[in-house]
Amino acid sequence: MTFALQTKGLSKIFGGIHAVDHLSIDIKKGDVTGIIGPNGSGKTTLTNVLTGVAKIDGGVVVVGGEKERGAIKAHEIHDLGITRTFQNVRLFEQISVMDNVLVALTKRDVIGALFEKHNKFHLERAKEVLTRVGLWDKRDAYAKELSYGQRKLLEIARALATNADIILFDEPFAGLFPEMVKTVSGIIKELRVGSKTVVLIEHDMALIRELCDHVIVLEAGHLLAEGKPEDVLRDPKVIEAYLGA
């Protein structure tokens, strides 16, 4: 079995509290893996550690079966084949929708990217991902002019533009209208068909059942349960800790 991401004894501590507590998990390559758990269980913190937003305080991460890493820096994730979206959308507000995607297509800093002469590949790739999320007609609008749902779709387009092998989605469906939910669901299914590895943080159990091959449940930074969605969501420990029944 080939794993895209693994953690071994991974820890992240804030003010003496273990937000991620000696966590060891395996994320299979080419699967959609859901990460669920109650608020404060460590889901977003785990994503932040895996993408260099927060430093590792203990343990290691293994990407693609390569060497164990005790540190990941945010600028390294492009070369590691990793990209992500954020629970709180992060865009370049004062530039156009198109330029937001073009920035994601270059490894340069934002100023350098804006003045770079983009070739046919960059422009076609930007058009492709903006069309896929339904924002091509908004390409000349400033990011700050978009609705909340459109902003989330733009962030997803930016992640897709990188063509990374591992995509971490942090609550991508929150606040979306039903048609937008269908769009994002379709994208995740296409990524699986394309053998991409998807990590999905999500609270909607219907979407977890529909989209995920494997589910990992966290509680207070620990692994509570894992397995196929239908098995995990019937687990009494999960029902008690997360579903509140």
Side-chain angles (χ1 to χ4, degrees), residues 105-124:
L105 279 165
T106 177
K107 292 169 65 175
R108 298 164 64 96
D109 61 271
V110 62
I111 299 300
L114 287 174
F115 286 97
E116 179 176 331
K117 184 178 175 66
H118 295 100
N119 60 33
K120 183 179 179 181
F121 165 78
H122 292 128
L123 297 172
E124 289 183 349

Side-chain angles (χ1 to χ4, degrees), residues 147-174:
S147 69
Y148 175 78
Q150 290 169 334
R151 290 163 59 80
K152 296 201 79 167
L153 292 175
L154 177 54
E155 189 170 59
I156 290 169
R158 284 165 46 85
L160 296 177
T162 67
N163 201 31
D165 291 321
I166 304 168
I167 307 98
L168 295 93
F169 290 106
D170 193 350
E171 298 192 28
F173 297 100

Side-chain angles (χ1 to χ4, degrees), residues 90-108:
R90 299 186 182 186
L91 301 172
F92 297 110
E93 302 286 348
Q94 305 297 328
I95 65 175
S96 72
V97 167
M98 179 67 129
D99 283 336
N100 263 275
V101 176
L102 291 173
V103 167
L105 279 165
T106 177
K107 292 169 65 175
R108 298 164 64 96

Side-chain angles (χ1 to χ4, degrees), residues 78-98:
H78 183 281
D79 292 333
L80 292 172
I82 300 172
T83 191
R84 68 167 295 178
T85 67
F86 288 85
Q87 185 175 352
N88 297 313
V89 179
R90 299 186 182 186
L91 301 172
F92 297 110
E93 302 286 348
Q94 305 297 328
I95 65 175
S96 72
V97 167
M98 179 67 129

